[in-house]
Amino acid sequence: MIRFSDILQALANLRAQKTRTLLTALGIVFGVGSVIGMLAIGSGAEEESLRFIEQLGVRNILIDSRQATSQEELQQRRRSSQGLSRRDVRILEANIESLERISDRKSMHPGRVLPKPSRDIPELYGVRP
C-alpha cells in the first residue's frame, strides 16, 4: 500500500534531481510520440496498399498457359494449338462489349542477359501500350 509519506519523498527526489527528471520525462514523451507516429505511418501505408489493390480490380481475368513438363509435351502443344495470338485479342475486343481493357502479353526467356544477373535470369514480359 502506498502511503502519503512515500509520495512526498518521491516528489522531493524529483525536485532534487531536476536534470535527470527532465531527461526521463523527455525520453518518455519521445518514445510515446515515435510509437504513435510509426503506427500512423503503418496504418496509412496499409490503407494506400489496399486502395491500390482495389484499383487493380477483382474482376480481372488472366489467361496463361501451363508450363510444359517435357520437350515432347511442348512439341505436342505446338502442333495442336498456337495459343492466344494478337488476332485472338482483337477478336475478343470486337465481340465482348463489357471489356474495359485488354492486353496481350508475351513472355520471353532470354538465353543471356548483360550485365550478368547475380541471381536467376529474369523473365521478361512484353505488352501493348
Side-chain angles (χ1 to χ4, degrees), residues 24-34:
T24 301
L26 198 57
I28 291 170
V29 168
F30 281 140
V32 170
S34 63

Side-chain angles (χ1 to χ4, degrees), residues 80-98:
S80 64
S81 172
Q82 295 290 320
L84 288 176
S85 65
R86 291 186 189 267
R87 180 175 172 264
D88 297 326
V89 170
R90 285 193 301 272
I91 291 170
L92 287 170
E93 285 177 320
N95 293 308
I96 302 175
E97 295 175 10
S98 62

